[in-house]
Amino acid sequence: MTTVADLPRVEPNFLGAQTSVRSWLLSTDHKRIGILYFVATTLALGLGGLFALLLRIEHLTPEKTIMEAMTYNRLFTLHGITMVWLFMIPSIPAAFGNFLLPLQLGATEVAFPRLNLLSFWIYVLGAGVVLFSLWLGGVDTGWTYYAPYSSRSPSAVVPALVGIFIVGWSTILTGINFIVSVHTLRARGLSWMRVPLFSWTIYATSIIQVLATPVLGFSLLVVMLDHAFAWGLFDPAQGGDPVLYQHLFWFYSHPAVYIMILPAMGVVSEVVSTFAHKNPYSYKALVYSTLGIAFVGFLTWGHHMFVAGMSVFDAGAFGVLSMLVAIFSAIKVFGWVATLRRGSISVKAPLLYVFGFLFLFIFGGMSGVAVAAMSLDVHWHDTYFVVAHFHFVMVGGTLTAWLAALHYWFPKVTGKLYSERWAAVASALVILGFFGTFLPQFLLGNAGMPRRYYNYAPHYQALNVASTLGSWALGSGLLMTLGYLLHALVRGPSSGANPWLSRSFEWRTASPPPERNFEQPLDLGLDAYDYTAGFSDAERRP
Amino acid sequence: MLDWFRRLFALPPGASSFADGVDRLHLFLVASTLFGSLLVALTVAFTVARQREREPGQPTPRLVASGAREALIVAGCLSLFLSWWVLGCRQYVRMRRPPAGTVPVYVTAKQWMWKFSYPDGRSSLDELTVVVNRPVQLIMTSRDVIHSFFVPAFRSKQDALPGRYVSLWFEPTRVGEYPIECAEYCGVSHSNMLGRVRVLSAQDYATWLESEGSSRDSLPKLAELGREAAVRHSCFSCHTVDGQSHIGPTWQGLFGASVALTSGERVTADAGYLTRAMIDPAAEIVAGYPAVMPSYVGSLSPPEVAAILEYIRSLAASSAMPSVALPRTRLASPLATDAPPATAAQAAP
């Protein structure tokens, strides 16, 4: 017979500990900051998605459908800025990374909790300034701000750049915070080669953030000076060099692609292992390929400039280095597939999204290698083929992995379960809608339709209409997801501590976790991916 | 096979000497991508079907990849990707190296039109007329922002940059009309910056030239315009056109020649180098000459630059002996070398 004293002391979880608005907005708890980031980045996703749907509607007809050319140019620019800097870059690292990194390290906090809160509010400030530029009429340069057009564009270039510049600070501070956390806050006994794979990718991502973002910062600063004060550093009319701008921009923006995709790969590693109840086929290969991508990613930026007038030798070198990144990605794909072998696979919503990810990422990745095969890039450069390629990686890859992460960790964060049936329907809609939207764009690029075209030749129309129809399916899949998750948040059944029977460290505490993350210090007796012992009856019961 | 592939993948007809090679590489890429994705999809489907969870929480064996298997996968992928790169790189090098004897056309892009100037003095807007099976070299610049010259049917594209001249060559292989599109975003009417290439048979081209004849004969040749521009901008104060060395290198036989620079490097004096020399002369000084040339940024207009280039090009072939000896000049500039300036060819190691 147990007495009250024998029962574990029930601490309030982090959601229930304090409920005032102030306790959320000024919280230094990494879990709450993660949720704040999640809400903010999801709003950005909604906004960027709305822009995308409007752009697709405009393309239903070759000429004007619903908007003027200037509006169209501003919308595609804002779609890019919102999706890249306000959604994609902070989405997984700052939202899920914040929530999970300390849990996966067996820590109670990130290294600098107050800095963490500051990073969030800097992000909000930057996002606010970007949206303020929208109110001033918006920018029409494309998210790439190519000089010298950006020095002369008759639109609100400076406010939008100031906004991105501010968001950059948030990215750098978050990166520093996470790097220090991984180095100093790992639980006793948690050696580097036992760190969960998601944390590894967050670590590698943080390094890229800290090294690359300053380059973006000062490049954009110079564009601002060119635009506001006619400094002309990138304007040949004043002796400047526009190709220098492209080098600087892509020196950041190519690694930025890995800021967006590496955490997604981390999510996939976790989900595959958890739902196959199986150790990763090669943990080391997944870790080293993560670091390899982070490093080689810095050496490939020139493949964005094959037709910008670079020398044949440079082009060849950038081409062959780009192949190396692809090798690391291919290793990961084989690693994930092999992890399923002899597992005990429970096909739940997160795994469905991961299957979608695998298939879409292969297309996205291989088309990426294809555009690095130099002669073909000459034809594809700046056409819809490139648009389709990076949407396959960024949406088919990162957004799909973000949805997998959302479904995988939803019970961890809220302690609630959502409807598996609705989730399956929505995932099918999202993945098929995605194919419908972007497969036609590969063909449009083959046919020669350049990107950022307001008007297009009539023979491109059929494929454009197909793409627009696909975007509606994708959009409704995402709205449906929002619906059933909100419903689950309010009405969902309790999930128990470990509904997926995962061995990963974040599942070895209550769901939602207590304020200080762990009631007892994290037990590291079993590795994060050790499924050889099976689960006891007590663990199986919610 | 290639026609079938083009129809299925929405590719335009192949109308240049690059098109077939590029499309064949494309087919190879598509085939290996489909094979890879199908392989993964089937493996996943098969594994999931066989390994469905029988009882929640059942133990699974610990399997770890052997180093040999990992090496095999890396080697397999690497050889596939490298074969793509080798094929693509070879084609790219070919695209970037114009063959001897190409016909030059000077292209000036501006918001939002394409201007083509031919050596015989004609010029046209948004319409380029060329002969089938004869390589053409476009020497391109922009007057304002970056544009990109794109002819999908030729699988050919090159950015036109303000402040520098880059070249693009192609050899049309099929008579017809093909759209030109601007591929680099350049402002509100970007999608209206269109044109067309007319590829004519040799016969039709001759007929067309004749029909243009009356107006053509009255036009000054582009090289002549270039000579006039060179006079206006006092180029002949320092450069000769008869092979003699003066303060700067002679223009005779300069175009396409390999010249040694003070840095020890050698460059080919092509359109790109000659334009850089007008815009930023101090950067690449020919060995043996003083760095006294001022920058012509802002004072030479793009059409003048194109005309001067064409003039220098027209001097490439002529090998007339100098008829008069120029007096040796000593410069007041401290940068002037004491040794008499050597010609580019003599300065070579």
Side-chain angles (χ1 to χ4, degrees), chain A residues 104 197 269-281 339 342-346 408 498 500-508 526-536 539-540, chain B residues 53 55-63:
Chain A
Q104 291 200 332
L197 290 161
S269 299
E270 297 287 342
V271 169
V272 166
S273 218
T274 291
F275 289 89
H277 299 102
K278 181 78 184 34
N279 69 302
Y281 190 53
T339 300
R342 306 210 37 205
S344 163
I345 303 167
S346 61
Y408 176 45
N498 189 3
W500 316 126
L501 295 178
S502 172
R503 280 284 177 231
S504 196
F505 299 145
E506 74 271 22
W507 294 102
R508 297 186 191 181
L526 279 176
D527 266 333
Y529 305 106
D530 190 340
Y531 290 92
T532 51
F535 288 79
S536 69
E539 285 173 308
R540 280 178 229 191
Chain B
E53 180 177 65
E55 190 199 340
Q58 73 192 46
T60 58
R62 182 180 153 80
L63 304 177

Side-chain angles (χ1 to χ4, degrees), chain A residues 140 277 282 306 375 381 448, chain B residues 60 70 91-92 157 181 185:
Chain A
D140 74 331
H277 299 102
S282 180
F306 284 151
S375 60
H381 184 81
Chain B
T60 58
E70 288 174 332
Q91 293 177 350
Y92 181 85
K157 185 185 287 131
E181 298 169 318
Y185 176 71

